[in-house]
Amino acid sequence: MIYRGRFRTVRHKDHAVPTPLPRPLLGQSSLDIRAWRRAEDGEPLLLVTSPRKTGGAVQRNRFRRQVRMAFLAQVETLLGGPWVVWVRPGRSAPPLGTIRFQDIENQLRLALNRLPASDAP
């Protein structure tokens, strides 16, 4: 994800979701966070999805923006590793308008700390 000259958002052909899907990094959570290693080396990628049923366009865009900012704050732990981090609202998630940035940041931090130590850079 190269952003402001360093990271950019994920494009369609940048990643392939593995089959079977990796297990969620957190148990019962309002966010479904999954991660896997890419075959090629490179910068970490962030994939954020928020289906239409989770809220209107304004709430979905705000959610994506908040996840991106929380990821950028935590990306130092992933630099040097070709990780793909996939974040989406969990099945039991409250409406997107009620999820606070601090909750997103805390859950993302917990999930990234649970990545396998042998694969961590």
Side-chain angles (χ1 to χ4, degrees):
M1 156 181 174
I2 300 170
Y3 188 72
R4 291 192 184 179
R6 185 170 178 193
F7 298 102
R8 71 171 169 77
T9 56
V10 174
R11 294 188 184 132
H12 177 67
K13 299 208 178 203
D14 283 343
H15 63 88
V17 177
T19 305
L21 282 175
R23 296 181 56 93
L25 294 173
L26 299 176
Q28 297 294 327
S29 172
S30 61
L31 296 180
D32 181 8
I33 303 172
R34 299 168 192 247
W36 61 89
R37 289 183 68 85
R38 293 186 300 166
E40 65 275 354
D41 288 334
E43 296 294 326
L45 297 177
L46 174 65
L47 174 62
V48 182
T49 56
S50 54
R52 286 185 182 166
K53 68 180 181 178
T54 58
V58 172
Q59 287 90 16
R60 293 193 320 266
N61 290 336
R62 182 172 179 255
F63 173 74
R64 290 184 199 120
R65 199 169 41 250
Q66 288 178 333
V67 170
R68 185 174 57 239
M69 291 300 114
F71 181 77
L72 288 174
Q74 303 297 321
V75 77
E76 297 299 324
T77 61
L78 296 176
L79 286 179
W83 288 100
V84 177
V85 179
W86 184 15
V87 181
R88 60 185 177 174
R91 291 183 183 213
S92 62
L96 291 182
T98 62
I99 299 177
R100 299 178 328 165
F101 177 73
Q102 290 83 11
D103 296 335
I104 293 171
E105 193 173 32
N106 290 337
Q107 290 181 25
L108 194 58
R109 182 182 304 114
L110 281 173
L112 294 180
N113 286 336
R114 290 186 180 187
L115 289 175
S118 62
D119 291 336

